Structures are given as structure tokens and as C-alpha cells.
Amino acid sequence: MRRLMILAAFAAGVSLCANPPVLAQEKVRLTGSGASFPAPIYLAWFKDFSKKNAIVTVDYQSKGSGAGVQDFLNKTVDFAASDSAMNKEDIAKVAEGVQLLPMTAGEIVLAFNLPGNPKGLKLPRDVYSNIFLGKITRWNDPKIAAANPGMTLPDLPITVVVRADSSGTTAVFTKHLSAINEDFKKTLGEGNTVNWPASDKFIKSPKNDGVTATVRQTPGAIGYIEYGFAKLAKVDFALLQNKAGQYVVPSAESGAEALAAVKMPEDLVAWLPDPDGAKSYPITSYTWMIFRKKNADPAKAKAMREMIEYGLTDGQKIADSMGYIPLPAVVVEQVRKAAANIK
Amino acid sequence: MNKPFVVPVKLDSICQPPSSMVLLVDRAFRALARLGVIVILVLLAALVFEIGGKAIPGIQKYGLDFITGNVWDVNQHKFGILPAIWGTLYSALIALLIGGFFGISMAIFLTQDFLPPRLAAVFRTIVELLAAIPSVVYGLWGIYVVIPAIRPLTDWLHHSFGWIPFFGTTLSGPGLLPAALVLAIMILPTIAAVSQDALSAVPLKTKQAAHGMGTTHWEAILQVIVPAASTGIFGALVLGLGRALGETMALAMLIGNSNQISLSLFSPANTLAALLALNFPEAGPNEIEVLMYAALILMLITLSVNIAGSLIMAYAKRGNKK
Amino acid sequence: MSVAKFSGSSASSLSAAPSLQRKIEGRSLRSFLLTCLTWVSAIVASIPLFSVLYMLITRGGARLNLEVFTELPPAGFETGGGFGNALLGTFVMVGIAALIAIPVGIMAAIFLAELGPVSKLANVARFAAKTLTGLPSILAGVFAYAMVVLTTGTYSAPAGGFALAVLMLPIVVLTAEEAMKMVPKIMKDAAYGMGSTDTQVIWKVVLPTAMPAILTGVMLAVARAAGETAPLLFTALFSNYWIFEDGHLALMSPTASLAVLIYNFSGMPFDNQLELAWAASLVLVLIVLIVNIVSRIFGKPRF
């Protein structure tokens, strides 16, 4: 009964809104939702894009990749964004066909808080993976000292700060740790959330800002956050050892090296759990926008294609300054070609 | 002269029988009031239906192990919420004790002539405003103000009284105590505001009668005014408890979200509402079913805590009357 | 100073016989100690409350200017900007929620307090309302998403209002019920004695007398609803544009709100956005302050 009443009320509401005055050029309003990691750059793109293209407005709300995909399946949004692409079962549910497009990429850094704010802390592969397994528990562990000669490391317990919310960032990070540490793969595995060791020294905090704030407030803490966030929030982060054995600073260049090390397949979904290359930063990943191939409204489809084109051209130029990694030129071409599928 | 009694309508009397219009309005009004109650029931039923419907596969798969298990591992499809139930009850209990004590003290302070009435009204408005501060702000305040402020004290407590289970661990940062403290502050405005109304609704006559019998200021407060306002104060505590059980964002930022059961106030813990809010946005179908199961459990906890509270209240009242 | 005053007044008010002197001193001492305790606990409780408020005012006040009320939210690295659209969206959605929750809540409370306080229906409904107070806000969002967003196929302001109403309803019901129960029985009896119907008693005696306390509940509910993020995230989403479209209200489209703006901006590393998040939190509290003052003026007991 109540549901009926609501329905009736909304039917009235919809019919009122469904007859907009006919203008010379009808306005197009696009709505998207999903991943929070690329939200800052997407919002900057969309704002500038609507400025240049007055008849199109784009709304994007970050609420998590999973929620974005759900919205996409429920058709409450025109497009979604996801850090973990989209799985096959979900793709199969969409009768109109799904087009995944990588739009930008990012890195994950290890932020830490040590007394005296030492710069240039180096962490070998087995060390940082074992810290997150709860096996290395003190900062003056001989293995950390060996990698950082000349640095005075305090006799402090390591407080590990991880994401409390399930997130694509955790998925990318654990995918990398599983690739480099067999134990990690066996005991924790990879996923949006994993079962971190239950200990007083494992703290979970929501989102990038929660992890950052907790790391800042806890002496002896270490946590994983997105590079763009760490860079702008001016947090100290560690140099990580990559597959080639080199210690690499996270940056747009080292990220681009990592992206270049992997060839983008036809479906435009590529993972880089442990990239090759001496200069590659070890934890790098793409992030995707998700579109329907067949759209009921041709004006919307056209607007979406224009929006993608903007992201591939002007959009890539601001990526570096906002802490993202511009797509390699080859990938831009592939995405541009695939975008034509959105009709 | 046994004529039936007739209301002298024609006379210029202010007494009139209710007109049929008035009766109709009365009837409609009662029906509307009943409808209001029915809306609440329908709402709860629809919620349980909506949440329960999604939880059924989870209930069938995990059964009671879900409630007694203490591992939450999506990869291995192991879901247990005992630590979250423990953390929910533990944090809400501490918050209710602290927030309740200070909230009621505040209400007494503001209604029983401790301050000039105008000042009390200003103070009261300020306290009520605090109910409007978004959770995120409380969370940030907890991280940047509360945790650093209590860290020296907790370190001292741990080193001096570490053998007491409540102080058994060191405070890493987020943990049960900072979460419960912030929660207490969050529910304080609600408890204070509603209790104040209850206390100030006690008729002045009652208070004067007490004073007239020679009671001191406090004897009147504790033995006459507070008991007279007890149902209202109890209602305030119910609202505070509800908020404490259901609060998400501030707790998610402060409690550490760790799946362990510890008596220690300084250990990280977890709560059901935080678990729900943090996992829902990225949840796949098989996770949604267990999250909805957890939501049902949370609703059940809220209901049973309230029933227990009402029983205690009824028992106390009966005791008083004897 | 008041401490002395009260202990003094309570002692002097008792001009008792000398034989009672000892006993009175003990009672006065107890009264004095309790007064001290109340002062101490009021001060202790005020410290964190004012600390939160101080943090909010210093950090939010720094950015408060006219521009924030008229401009649209900025993107990363943009300077300036504001949250005019979010402010409007919050008004619209909290307004819708209040229009649903307040009448329904007060009607239900009338039934619970006056018409059938001991009926089975009332007992069940009371526990239903209490259970609803503990509903995590995200569930209200999930529920409204299923009920409204999926049936209408779009994120919208009414969906957001509906979700907030779910959260407001139990607060309104429970506080209004308590408020009406506190109305002295003699006042009602007097009205009934004059031959009033239930409606007249409730309308002319109970509601006006209980109004200040009912307003407390309404205020608490509005305050809670205005600051809630999770329900709106699932029902109204967010928008970087005004809710108007070609001169009319576009209710059936994603709608901005202060709470979601705060949620978004507090999680960003840009200073401009962080400042705006604080300013928005302060504005939210100021709105509630204004609503509070206005409602107190209009809701004054009339006798």
C-alpha cells in the first residue's frame, strides 16, 4: 500500500519533470558513481569539460567501486568507475554490452611516522610484505637496519595501519603482496578486504584520509595510501624495492615505467601485480570507467564519447599534477578506438 | 415527572453538545493517530522484510556459527561477528554510562536553579547544537584531540595497573576507549536535552511541596523531582543508546576495526554498524547477504536491549510503589 | 559563588530546633557535596563539548564568507568555490523528511501517549520505534534505495528525504510521546470535564503544553538528519550543479547535500576542499541553530 502511494507520488513527480521546455539544443545530464580513488581527477575533468561543452553536465559521486558497479547494473547511473574493473558474471548481466576503458592509473605508497622524520627510508620486498603479515614487528629489526645503513631506527613497535573499508586500493596492494610473498598469498590472499592478523598493532581506519590521519597521530605507524593523496597531503613515504631489486621512489615517471612494462590486452583490462623494469615502481594499477555499449539515448552516448575524448587529451595533461599517472600513448590510442563502441 | 433529560440547546449557554462535525473530526483525528502508529509498524516490517530477504541466503549458509565465529575473511568465506557484537555492546555500554551520567548531571544543572534562567537557556541551545555536528567532525576531533589527550593517562594506567584486564594493553591510537569517549560526547546532547524537558515538566507545585516539607535542595532533586521525571529520563537514555548502537562513521574512524575480543579498554575493537558501513560499498552479492544478516542481528540486539531496559524500569517502578 | 549560595540557602531555610542541628548539618553537607559534584561534572562535560565547538569554529570560521553560499563546489586545485547547491539540497531534503516524519511521528505519539497508551498496538509500536532508533544510518539508505531509487530508476531528492525521514521518525515519536505524557493529568481532566472530545483536549491542551518538549525532539531529529551522510549517498547521490534546471526544480535528479559534500571533501588532500568541508560543517550547525531559535520563538507555550 505504502509502496503504491510512493509509486503514485513519484509517477506524478516524474511526469512533471519529464516535459522540459524544448530548447534549441537539449541539455544532457550524465550521472556516474563508483571508485573513490580517481574521484578528484574525474571531478576536475568533468567540471572543465562541462565548461567547454555547455550543454553537457556530468555528476560523479565516489561511493566505492562495488557500489558503482551495483548502480550500473541497476541502471541508476549512466556510467560507473571501478578500481577492480568488473568481473565476468557482472558483465554477463548487462544485456547492452559493457565497455571497460582504463582512464588513468595510480600508485600505492607506504606512509610512515618515525620520530625525527627520517627521509628516504628503504624497504626491501621481504621486509614490507612481512610487516603486513605481522612477522616483522619492530622498527629496529636487523633486516630494516641492513637496508638503511646510517639511519638510526628507534626501538619502537611497528603499528600497521590498514584500510578498514573494503576498497580497490586494498585489492591492488594485496595483489602485489601476494605476488611477491608466497606466505602472504597463502594466509591472507588478495581482495577488497583481507583478514589482517588480529593484533593490537594492526589498526584499521577508513579511507585514505583515515589511514593518513592515524599514521600521523601514531608514532611508529606504517600504512598504505594512494600516491596522489600522499603527495598532496605531504606524508613521508618509503622507497620500495622492485622486481629488479632497485629501490624506487613513487612518482609519475616510475609509475609510467611500470605501465609501459605491461602490454594492454584487447579487453583493456591489464593488471601489474609485480612489473618488470629497473625503474618501475612496484605497486601500480590502472583504474577503469564502465559504459554500456548500447545506450537508449543517442545524445547521452555522444556526450559520453566526448567526455572520454576530453579525458584522453586534456585530461591526461593534469594527471601528473594531481598525483596520477598519465596513460602511455599506445593505451590512449587503444582506448580511443574502443570508445567508438559506445553507441 | 419522568421526562427524559433534554439539553437546553436554545438557551444562551456556553454548554453545547458536540456537533456532528466535531464528532466527525474527532473520529478522523483518532483514525489519523492510529494510522501514524501503523506507519511505524509497516516501516519496521518493511525494513525487516527488505533486510531479512537479502539475509536469508546468508542465514541458511552460515547459521548460528555466524554469531559465535570470530573470523571475518571474505577470501575464505568465513564470516563471524562475535567480536563485533562484543565491541558494539561494550562501547555502547561505556558510552551510555559516561554519556548518561554527564547528560543527566547536565540536565539537572540546567533545570534546577544552578544557573540564571537566561544563561541556562543559552547553554542548553549550545548543547543541543552539538547534536547537529556531523559524525565525521567528531571522528576527526577524536583522532586529533582525544587520542593525544588520553595517551599519557592510558600509558600510565597500563604501566601501573597493567595486571587489571581493563588496562591490559597499550593504546596504539584508535581503540575502544577513545571510541567510547567520543560516542559518549555524541549522545550527551540527546540525553541532556530530553532529560531537561522531563525535569522541567515536573510541576512547580511538586517541587514546592518537597521544599515545604523541609527537604534540602538535593533531597528534593533526588527523591522527588528525578523520580517524577524518571520515565522521561529513561526515554532520553533509550534515544542515547539507540544512537550509540547505530553510530557508524565516528566509530569507524576511532575504534580500530579489529576483530578481537578483549576486555582491555585500550585495544582496538569492532562494531556491527562500522562493519556494515565499511564493507557495504564494495560488497559483492555473497558479502551483502552476510552484511544484511549482521544488520538483522544488530536490530535484534537493539530490540532486546530495549526490552531488557523496559523490564528493569517496570521492575524498579513496582519496587518504588511498595 | 553559587555553591556557597545554595548550601547557605538550604541551611538557612531550615530554621529547625537545636536538637536537630547535627542531622541538618549532615544533610546540608551532603547537599553541598552534591552541588559541588554537579558543578564539577557540568564543567567536565563542557570541556569536550566546547572543544569540539572550538575546533569547528576556528577551522570552519576561517573560510566562512558570502562566496561559499553562492558558488558551486570546486574541483581539485581550483581555488574559491563554495557549496550553495549543497546548502539548497540539504534544505530541500531535510524539508521533505520533516514533512513526512513530523506529522506522522506526532500523530503516532498522540496515539501512544493519549489515545491508547496501554493497548497492544501501542506496546508493539513503542518497541518498534525504539528498535528503529538503533538503525544504522546506512541501512536507512539501503532501504530507501530499494524502495524509492529502484522503483523510480533515478537518484533523487525525494528519495533522500524519504531515507532521512526513516531516521527522524523514531526520534520524533519517542520524544513527543514523553512530552505529552508529562502534561499534568489535571489539565486534561479539566478539559474532559468540560465535555471536550479527545481531539479538542489534544489539540487545545496537550499539544500546546507539550510543544516545547516536542520541539526538542524535532530539533534533535532535524539535527541528526542534516548531518547524516550514508543515507543520502545511497539515495540522493551528489551533484556539482544547482538543483534548478531551466528555471524549475529538478527534483528527480541527483541532488547535492552538505553532509555528502563534507564526506567527499574531508577525504580529499586538497587544502581548499578541506577548508570548505570545515566551513560546511559549521554552516550545518548554524542552520540548526537558526531553526532552533525560530522554532523556540513560535513554539513558546501559550499559557
Side-chain angles (χ1 to χ4, degrees):
Chain A
M1 178 60 200
R2 192 176 164 76
R3 205 167 173 149
L4 267 179
M5 275 161 54
I6 294 171
L7 262 177
F10 282 103
V14 172
S15 63
L16 275 178
C17 302
N19 309 315
V22 183
L23 295 171
Q25 255 181 322
E26 245 178 76
K27 282 206 171 185
V28 181
R29 190 162 185 173
L30 299 175
T31 308
S33 73
S36 54
F37 152 65
I41 191 169
Y42 286 177
L43 288 172
W45 287 0
F46 298 154
K47 185 148 194 187
D48 195 41
F49 173 67
S50 331
K51 237 180 244 162
K52 291 181 177 153
N53 201 337
I55 60 155
V56 184
T57 55
V58 188
D59 276 322
Y60 178 78
Q61 173 58 39
S62 68
K63 54 195 285 200
S65 305
V69 170
Q70 282 304 315
D71 274 346
F72 187 75
L73 293 175
N74 289 331
K75 297 193 179 164
T76 51
V77 293
D78 300 306
F79 67 98
S82 166
D83 296 337
S84 41
M86 193 170 170
N87 63 36
K88 288 204 172 65
E89 298 95 74
D90 283 341
I91 291 179
K93 285 183 203 160
V94 183
E96 294 90 344
V98 174
Q99 183 61 56
L100 286 155
L101 300 176
M103 293 308 290
T104 186
E107 293 154 301
I108 292 169
V109 304
L110 295 184
F112 61 91
N113 174 351
L114 282 178
N117 301 317
K119 297 273 177 262
L121 178 75
K122 290 176 183 163
L123 293 177
R125 288 156 82 80
D126 60 327
V127 169
Y128 67 79
S129 56
N130 276 322
I131 288 177
F132 281 88
L133 264 177
K135 286 187 179 163
I136 292 180
T137 57
R138 298 197 79 82
W139 279 107
N140 56 357
D141 191 280
K143 278 186 176 165
I144 305 180
N148 295 281
M151 193 180 278
T152 42
L153 290 157
D155 181 18
L156 261 180
I158 301 177
T159 302
V160 181
V161 187
V162 298
R163 286 283 285 264
D165 50 333
S166 73
S167 71
T169 306
T170 304
V172 170
F173 184 60
T174 51
K175 197 184 265 287
H176 169 71
L177 292 184
S178 294
I180 65 168
N181 188 323
E182 203 48 43
D183 269 357
F184 194 94
K185 191 175 181 177
K186 265 187 228 144
T187 53
L188 272 72
E190 57 182 83
N192 284 333
T193 51
V194 295
N195 186 24
W196 298 104
S199 143
D200 284 344
K201 294 297 159 202
F202 268 75
I203 300 286
K204 296 185 192 166
S205 206
K207 307 209 299 169
N208 277 307
D209 52 318
V211 173
T212 308
T214 308
V215 169
R216 276 197 177 141
Q217 290 295 307
T218 314
I222 187 167
Y224 59 92
I225 48 180
E226 284 143 14
Y227 164 66
F229 196 93
K231 181 182 164 186
L232 295 169
K234 301 186 181 64
V235 193
D236 289 328
F237 38 73
L239 281 70
L240 300 188
Q241 191 182 32
N242 66 12
K243 198 173 187 179
Q246 303 295 316
Y247 290 96
V248 185
V249 184
S251 69
E253 295 79 45
S254 60
E257 289 284 336
L259 294 186
V262 176
K263 193 182 175 307
M264 181 61 76
E266 268 307 295
D267 63 356
L268 300 178
V269 178
W271 296 105
L272 310 77
D274 193 17
D276 295 312
K279 291 179 193 160
S280 297
Y281 185 73
I283 322 174
T284 310
S285 176
Y286 285 105
T287 181
W288 290 265
M289 279 193 199
I290 306 171
F291 298 91
R292 292 185 195 89
K293 282 186 178 165
K294 282 184 210 133
N295 290 278
D297 185 349
K300 275 192 177 179
K302 179 167 171 276
M304 285 194 278
R305 286 197 302 272
E306 286 167 0
M307 175 185 99
I308 295 160
E309 184 55 32
Y310 173 88
L312 292 176
T313 49
D314 293 356
Q316 299 299 318
K317 289 176 199 154
I318 61 163
D320 185 18
S321 67
M322 294 194 75
Y324 296 84
I325 308 164
L327 298 176
V330 199
V331 178
V332 169
E333 262 329 297
Q334 278 176 289
V335 174
R336 184 170 286 145
K337 218 189 252 171
N341 293 336
I342 303 166
K343 282 169 186 140
Chain B
M1 285 280 285
N2 266 344
K3 269 175 94 180
F5 176 71
V6 179
V7 185
V9 184
K10 287 276 176 174
L11 291 177
D12 273 350
S13 164
I14 54 163
C15 298
Q16 277 176 15
S19 67
S20 59
M21 190 60 201
V22 170
L23 287 177
L24 192 72
V25 168
D26 189 47
R27 214 179 232 179
F29 187 75
R30 287 152 162 281
L32 265 179
R34 190 176 286 265
L35 187 70
V37 175
I38 290 169
V39 167
I40 298 178
L41 293 176
V42 170
L43 180 65
L44 185 68
L47 260 166
V48 171
F49 181 76
E50 181 66 34
I51 296 169
K54 285 185 183 152
I56 285 172
I59 297 172
Q60 284 166 342
K61 254 183 250 173
Y62 303 102
L64 284 179
D65 291 348
F66 185 67
I67 299 165
T68 53
N70 50 16
V71 179
W72 185 279
D73 189 336
V74 180
N75 285 337
Q76 296 184 18
H77 293 282
K78 275 190 198 157
F79 300 101
I81 53 166
L82 193 61
I85 295 176
W86 166 257
T88 303
L89 291 174
Y90 201 8
S91 62
L93 179 74
I94 297 173
L96 191 67
L97 284 178
I98 300 174
F101 175 77
F102 284 106
I104 296 171
S105 302
M106 189 70 101
I108 292 175
F109 181 72
L110 292 180
T111 51
Q112 304 303 319
D113 311 327
F114 286 85
L115 287 180
R118 282 196 176 269
L119 194 60
V122 171
F123 209 85
R124 179 201 161 111
T125 310
I126 293 175
V127 172
E128 261 172 48
L129 282 189
L130 291 160
I133 296 179
S135 295
V136 182
V137 173
Y138 277 109
L140 290 173
W141 177 71
I143 291 180
Y144 288 109
V145 179
V146 176
I147 293 177
I150 62 170
R151 199 190 292 277
L153 179 72
T154 61
D155 283 349
W156 178 77
L157 280 173
H158 174 66
H159 287 125
S160 315
F161 302 99
W163 47 273
I164 302 174
F166 297 118
F167 311 132
T169 54
T170 53
L171 185 77
S172 309
L176 193 79
L177 185 66
L181 283 178
V182 172
L183 204 51
I185 303 296
M186 291 178 78
I187 63 173
L188 196 151
T190 310
I191 294 179
V194 179
S195 308
Q196 273 176 60
D197 283 330
L199 287 171
S200 46
V202 175
L204 191 62
K205 278 191 287 186
T206 314
K207 203 163 146 188
Q208 285 167 340
H211 282 302
M213 286 171 71
T215 59
T216 62
H217 192 55
W218 271 99
E219 282 165 350
I221 293 174
L222 290 181
Q223 287 166 25
V224 178
I225 299 168
V226 171
S230 60
T231 51
I233 294 176
F234 179 70
L237 293 175
V238 166
L239 282 176
L241 179 72
R243 178 101 203 243
L245 289 172
E247 176 52 41
T248 358
M249 207 48 213
L251 274 186
M253 291 169 83
L254 289 168
I255 201 159
N257 306 292
S258 174
N259 266 327
Q260 50 176 340
I261 299 176
S262 164
L263 259 185
S264 172
L265 293 169
F266 309 150
S267 282
N270 205 352
T271 74
L272 285 170
L275 181 82
L276 213 61
L278 291 174
N279 287 290
F280 192 83
E282 293 285 343
N286 50 350
E287 251 180 288
I288 285 180
E289 65 197 34
V290 288
L291 288 174
M292 289 298 129
Y293 190 3
L296 271 190
I297 302 286
L298 178 58
M299 290 174 79
L300 209 64
I301 289 177
T302 315
L303 179 67
S304 30
V305 169
N306 271 308
I307 290 178
S310 300
L311 288 178
I312 293 170
M313 186 72 188
Y315 184 77
K317 270 196 168 167
R318 207 177 307 147
N320 271 349
K321 273 178 192 156
K322 265 177 195 171
Chain C
M1 47 136 228
S2 289
V3 175
K5 188 183 119 203
F6 280 110
S7 63
S9 72
S10 53
S12 63
S13 66
L14 294 159
S15 50
S19 65
L20 287 171
Q21 201 61 52
R22 254 183 81 99
K23 211 178 163 196
I24 290 166
E25 267 175 12
R27 290 166 64 199
S28 304
L29 185 69
R30 202 170 82 110
S31 207
F32 174 72
L33 287 178
L34 281 170
T35 304
C36 290
L37 182 72
T38 311
W39 272 93
V40 170
S41 52
I43 291 166
V44 168
S46 303
I47 293 170
L49 295 178
F50 281 99
S51 159
V52 179
L53 219 52
Y54 174 79
M55 185 171 169
L56 191 63
I57 291 171
T58 48
R59 298 182 83 160
R63 184 55 194 281
L64 211 55
N65 50 30
L66 260 183
E67 192 193 6
V68 300
F69 296 105
T70 56
E71 296 284 311
L72 290 174
F77 287 132
E78 269 188 324
T79 53
F83 41 72
N85 61 337
L87 187 64
L88 187 67
T90 290
F91 272 125
V92 170
M93 287 189 283
V94 174
I96 294 173
L99 281 181
I100 303 173
I102 294 173
V104 174
I106 292 182
M107 286 318 267
I110 287 172
F111 185 86
L112 296 183
E114 301 296 330
L115 298 178
V118 288
S119 62
K120 201 167 243 171
L121 182 66
N123 284 330
V124 176
R126 217 169 271 137
F127 278 114
K130 286 177 183 174
T131 308
L132 286 174
T133 59
L135 188 75
S137 52
I138 190 165
L139 286 181
V142 171
F143 176 64
Y145 180 81
M147 297 298 269
V148 186
V149 177
L150 287 185
T151 34
T152 59
T154 175
Y155 287 102
S156 64
F162 176 73
L164 294 181
V166 172
L167 288 175
M168 286 173 73
L169 186 62
I171 306 180
V172 175
V173 173
L174 293 175
T175 48
E177 188 203 347
E178 290 306 332
M180 290 180 215
K181 274 204 257 166
M182 297 306 289
V183 175
K185 197 164 175 299
I186 38 172
M187 290 174 73
K188 288 182 256 177
D189 288 345
Y192 280 118
M194 296 199 307
S196 307
T197 60
D198 281 340
T199 311
Q200 288 165 330
V201 174
I202 290 163
W203 205 247
K204 302 237 162 85
V205 176
V206 176
L207 281 180
T209 315
M211 197 40 84
I214 293 177
L215 280 177
T216 306
V218 170
M219 284 317 307
L220 288 171
V222 167
R224 168 102 202 257
E228 277 297 349
T229 311
L232 295 182
L233 208 52
F234 284 89
T235 50
L237 216 68
F238 192 74
S239 168
N240 284 312
Y241 307 99
W242 292 96
I243 194 171
F244 308 113
E245 202 171 86
D246 309 323
H248 66 96
L249 272 182
L251 281 183
M252 299 311 290
S253 53
T255 306
S257 57
L258 285 176
V260 177
L261 178 114
I262 294 165
Y263 167 86
N264 285 342
F265 280 5
S266 68
M268 284 189 184
F270 310 111
D271 289 335
N272 187 21
Q273 269 83 345
L274 285 174
E275 284 168 14
L276 281 175
W278 281 104
S281 306
L282 183 60
V283 167
L284 206 55
V285 173
L286 289 178
I287 296 172
V288 174
L289 175 67
I290 294 167
V291 178
N292 196 324
I293 292 171
V294 170
S295 71
R296 294 272 165 220
I297 292 170
F298 287 104
K300 265 195 184 147
R302 263 157 272 168
F303 46 87

